[in-house]
Amino acid sequence: MSPTEFIYLCMLLISLGLGHVVKHARNPQEKRLICTLVGVSMVVGLCGWQAYHSIFTTLVAGVIVAFVDPEKCHIWNFAFCFSYLTFFRAGHFFGLAAPTAFSNVVQLLLTLKLVGVAFEVHDSHDVKTKPKISPSNSQVDTSTKARYIADVGDPGIMDVFQYAFCFIGIITGPYYKYKTYCDMIQCKNSKDIPSIDPLVQRLKTLVPIGLMFLIMSHYLSIDYVRSDEFYTHGYWYRTLYMVPMFMLFRLRMYSAWILSECVCMSATLGAYPVSFKPKVGLGPSVDPAGVDSSDKPTEYSYETIHNIDWYQCDFTTTFRDGMRNWNMSVQWWLKNYVFFRFPVKAWSTSITMLVSSYWHGIHPGYFLSFLTVPIILIAEDSMMRSFRTEANAPWYDKFNWFFRMRAFEYLAMGFLLLGFWSTMRYWASTFFIVHVVTFLFIAIGHVCRPKKNMERK
């Protein structure tokens, strides 16, 4: 475990304890004060003077949300926040210090929150001013068939600031909406909402994953792949080395995200009655006012802040489903605020991947990996249309799982190596095996596509 990872662990454990303090706070004002003071202290303590980036971004975004027409505030906020990311990351070209690891991750998560709250204000305003337009036709999460858009009111600059600097998830996620934050703050019976049992159940998953990460991190390092010594080994050693490296990468992210979910549970953030049908990122998918209350004890769900399904990530059979179960709250943000809203549907996937890679960072490795994703999806869809049938589905799915895992491992090396030449050097040492197989699958799928499908197209 590196010193940075150790600091992350300490911050998450501190947040876990403070979450219970928030849960048992006497009133909304006390909850809000604790969340904001702890959040600001964490940002300043971890980022030092570079915290001014986060504070400045939040204040400007708050002004946009508070004073710009709701019809356009989401566009202005998106443009400002993502433009500032460029200045933030390229500031060292103008004499500023390069962002630290902590200031970078804080800025990333703040960008999602600040853009997200503007979209919430826009959607809420649309529903109030255009009641004749069915929500099913508006730009909402159609994949979950959502029919309810929450009214978030008119948040002011201070409201936006308090939401942005809430300590829960400020350095690791998950992403949660402004409305979800407000529901936690305004909840009057939070001390009665179950949090210990679901937290313990989640920790049972964390223990074996965390132990495996500690063991593997002792023996594996991405720095070894950057060394000349690594490339003295044979082809299969170099190619297969990405398998344990991706496993280590997954274990690190699983551990951080599961512990982050536990922090949310300790404060009852994202806890909604099961009858509200909460969805990841979205929150309630039905209007709570229309849900019948009964005398039965209320059963709560934390699905809103469910950020990682490690089992589905590892064992689901398709590349697309594997992506959906990875960092699910950010996936929800990208899907609802980029994919569904981009006007040219044929380019929606590519633009979403471009935004995602830009959001992660300006390192070429991110772009090389993310912009390969649409090609892999095309290959997967092409092969499935041509060869998968009900009769051979069990065997075909195993075949598809094998190749989609190899694709994830291959792309993960771009995430880990970051640099253009270091990524290309590694991929070249494998003879670009995944790129070659991907284009081969596209060609085979096209040639072997059943005639019936070609005529229908």
Side-chain angles (χ1 to χ4, degrees):
M1 181 183 292
S2 68
T4 299
E5 291 166 343
F6 180 73
I7 293 174
Y8 271 116
L9 177 61
C10 292
M11 291 297 101
L12 286 170
L13 292 176
I14 292 171
S15 299
L16 190 63
L18 290 172
H20 287 283
V21 177
V22 173
K23 174 183 176 178
H24 294 280
R26 292 171 294 183
N27 52 60
Q29 292 75 21
E30 190 172 297
K31 284 185 182 181
R32 190 178 291 109
L33 183 64
I34 294 171
C35 290
T36 307
L37 288 179
V38 173
V40 171
S41 300
M42 280 187 176
V43 171
V44 173
L46 292 173
C47 304
W49 69 270
Q50 289 191 353
Y52 83 85
H53 288 292
S54 301
I55 295 172
F56 175 76
T57 308
T58 303
L59 292 177
V60 174
V63 170
I64 293 173
V65 170
F67 296 107
V68 174
D69 185 351
E71 287 289 334
K72 296 182 179 180
C73 70
H74 60 304
I75 298 174
W76 283 101
N77 230 10
F78 190 101
F80 165 72
C81 290
F82 275 83
S83 297
Y84 194 84
L85 273 181
T86 303
F87 169 75
F88 170 73
R89 290 162 174 163
H92 58 282
F93 292 117
F94 305 100
L96 299 177
T100 65
F102 294 115
S103 61
N104 183 61
V105 74
V106 169
Q107 192 70 21
L108 290 184
L109 293 167
L110 277 179
T111 298
L112 296 184
K113 282 185 172 182
L114 296 174
V115 173
V117 67
F119 273 102
E120 288 182 70
V121 169
H122 168 75
D123 292 344
S124 173
H125 177 265
D126 264 8
V127 170
K128 288 186 290 186
T129 58
K130 303 173 183 177
K132 293 182 181 180
I133 298 179
S134 170
S136 62
N137 294 326
S138 63
Q139 295 163 322
V140 295
D141 186 354
T142 56
S143 66
T144 57
K145 298 181 180 179
R147 294 293 182 268
Y148 170 65
I149 298 177
D151 180 10
V152 297
D154 299 305
I157 298 174
M158 186 54 66
D159 297 318
V160 173
F161 185 89
Q162 291 169 337
Y163 162 62
F165 279 88
C166 176
F167 76 91
I168 302 172
I170 201 166
I171 58 172
T172 54
Y175 167 77
Y176 50 88
K177 294 167 59 178
Y178 173 71
K179 178 60 177 173
T180 302
Y181 163 79
C182 291
D183 289 342
M184 177 197 71
I185 295 295
Q186 299 298 331
C187 183
K188 297 179 180 179
N189 67 324
S190 59
K191 63 179 182 298
D192 300 321
I193 296 176
S195 61
I196 300 298
D197 287 343
L199 192 154
V200 170
Q201 292 302 316
R202 206 68 179 121
L203 286 175
K204 288 180 181 178
T205 305
L206 175 64
V207 171
I209 290 175
L211 287 175
M212 289 177 63
F213 166 69
L214 291 175
I215 294 171
M216 292 189 67
S217 63
H218 182 72
Y219 295 100
L220 295 170
S221 171
I222 193 62
D223 291 332
Y224 178 52
V225 183
R226 296 189 179 99
S227 68
D228 293 334
E229 180 187 352
F230 175 79
Y231 294 94
T232 62
H233 294 282
Y235 173 79
W236 288 112
Y237 178 91
R238 298 192 304 269
T239 301
L240 294 177
Y241 197 81
M242 64 184 177
V243 177
M245 283 308 307
F246 181 53
M247 181 177 290
L248 177 63
F249 178 67
R250 297 202 311 276
L251 291 172
R252 180 171 72 244
M253 302 311 297
Y254 291 170
S255 300
W257 286 333
I258 291 172
L259 192 52
S260 297
E261 289 179 28
C262 291
V263 173
C264 295
M265 292 175 182
S266 69
T268 67
L269 175 69
Y272 290 103
V274 173
S275 57
F276 291 4
K277 299 180 182 179
K279 306 291 183 182
V280 174
L282 176 69
S285 60
V286 298
D287 188 349
V291 176
D292 293 333
S293 58
S294 63
D295 296 332
K296 295 181 180 180
T298 303
E299 183 181 356
Y300 285 88
S301 167
Y302 285 93
E303 186 64 17
T304 301
I305 49 86
H306 188 193
N307 200 39
I308 186 69
D309 188 331
W310 72 269
Y311 183 84
Q312 292 297 323
C313 277
D314 282 5
F315 297 107
T316 191
T317 58
T318 67
F319 191 92
R320 183 176 278 104
D321 286 340
M323 289 180 59
R324 287 171 179 164
N325 290 283
W326 173 272
N327 202 2
M328 292 189 287
S329 62
V330 173
Q331 295 284 348
W332 182 91
W333 188 98
L334 289 166
K335 179 175 62 178
N336 284 271
Y337 298 147
V338 181
F339 181 83
F340 286 148
R341 304 187 192 237
F342 191 72
V344 184
K345 296 305 176 186
W347 288 89
S348 293
T349 299
S350 297
I351 294 300
T352 302
M353 291 299 104
L354 183 63
V355 171
S356 182
S357 57
Y358 177 80
W359 174 75
H360 277 84
I362 57 176
H363 297 290
Y366 292 142
F367 290 87
L368 290 171
S369 295
F370 273 116
L371 295 180
T372 305
V373 169
I375 306 171
I376 294 174
L377 293 175
I378 292 171
E380 182 176 74
D381 292 342
S382 179
M383 290 290 287
M384 289 185 73
R385 282 194 297 266
S386 300
F387 296 104
R388 191 180 188 275
T389 64
E390 290 186 11
N392 70 11
W395 292 104
Y396 181 89
D397 288 345
K398 290 181 175 64
F399 165 88
N400 201 73
W401 172 85
F402 176 83
F403 282 100
R404 76 96 174 168
M405 284 300 294
R406 305 295 78 80
F408 272 120
E409 291 156 1
Y410 184 81
L411 299 182
M413 296 304 289
F415 258 69
L416 294 169
L417 292 168
L418 298 177
F420 178 83
W421 292 114
S422 56
T423 301
M424 294 299 289
R425 184 187 188 190
Y426 177 77
W427 284 355
S429 76
T430 70
F431 299 141
F432 296 97
I433 184 169
V434 168
H435 281 95
V436 171
V437 171
T438 297
F439 284 110
L440 183 64
F441 282 168
I442 292 174
I444 293 173
H446 180 75
V447 172
C448 299
R449 185 177 305 177
K451 186 177 180 181
K452 189 182 298 182
N453 287 351
M454 295 292 287
E455 291 174 352
R456 186 183 301 117
K457 184 177 180 182

